[in-house]
């Protein structure tokens, strides 16, 4: 294999990777565009926000895997960005459309905090290696990430039908089963 053909393959691979990764970076930057301290920090340091976000998440997840402050890092990741959005809404500068989602997020996050000890013991008992904090880290990210909106998924599939809010829908919870009301 000649050196010239090797460089040709590498250039083609680089082009393909850029065409795949750049849209992911763009989407990530769009999702976190309202996080002004992040945007300002990246502007001052001349780095792309997506690179910084992925670096912080990658280093944090590596620390969680190694076992360096896994609970603290998981709580920090689940707190910083949602807290910033909540403060913006309280001050009236944030997107009011996110207020319902953030209320749902904090409800699920609080429930997770209450059940944290139980889940940690359950994972430790069921699995030979301790992977609880890795799962919790990814779960918390899934809860608040704008495209997954995991908190909404959990609320709508588990908690909504055990509350009075279900009466406002076209179905009612009777012992865990949803009964569809007939439209009048």
């Amino acid at each position: 294999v000649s050196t010239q053909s090797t460089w040709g393959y590498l250039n083609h691979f680089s082009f393909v990777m850029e065409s795949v990764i750049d849209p992911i970076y763009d989407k990530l930057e769009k999702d976190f565009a309202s996080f002004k301290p992040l945007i300002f920090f990246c502007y001052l340091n001349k780095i792309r926000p997506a690179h910084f976000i992925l670096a912080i998440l990658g280093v944090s997840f590596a620390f969680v895997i190694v076992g360096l402050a896994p609970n603290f890092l998981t709580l920090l990741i689940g707190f910083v960005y949602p807290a910033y959005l909540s403060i913006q809404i309280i001050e009236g500068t944030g997107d009011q459309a996110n207020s319902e989602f953030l209320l749902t997020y904090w409800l699920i996050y609080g429930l997770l905090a209450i059940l944290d000890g139980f889940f940690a013991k359950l994972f430790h008992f069921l699995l030979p290696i301790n992977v609880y904090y890795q799962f919790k880290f990814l779960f918390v990210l899934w809860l608040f990430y704008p495209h997954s909106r995991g908190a909404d998924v959990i609320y709508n599939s588990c908690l909504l039908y055990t509350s009075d809010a279900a009466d406002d829908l076209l179905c009612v919870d009777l012992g865990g089963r949803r009964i569809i009301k007939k439209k009048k």
Side-chain angles (χ1 to χ4, degrees), residues 24-99:
I24 294 171
Y25 284 169
D26 293 340
K27 184 181 262 188
L28 191 61
E29 288 173 356
K30 182 181 173 197
D31 292 340
F32 289 93
S34 65
F35 197 25
K36 302 287 186 232
L38 169 75
I39 303 302
F40 183 68
F41 176 83
C42 291
Y43 173 76
L44 287 179
N45 293 295
K46 296 178 174 71
I47 56 176
R48 193 166 178 187
H51 291 164
F52 185 71
I53 292 167
L54 292 174
I56 291 295
L57 291 176
V59 168
S60 298
F61 192 66
F63 280 1
V64 168
I65 289 172
V66 173
L68 297 173
N71 193 33
F72 172 74
L73 287 171
T74 302
L75 292 173
L76 188 66
I77 291 293
F79 178 78
V80 172
Y81 182 64
Y84 176 78
L85 292 178
S86 298
I87 290 169
Q88 279 189 322
I89 289 173
I90 290 169
E91 292 177 350
T93 59
D95 183 11
Q96 294 297 325
N98 280 337
S99 62

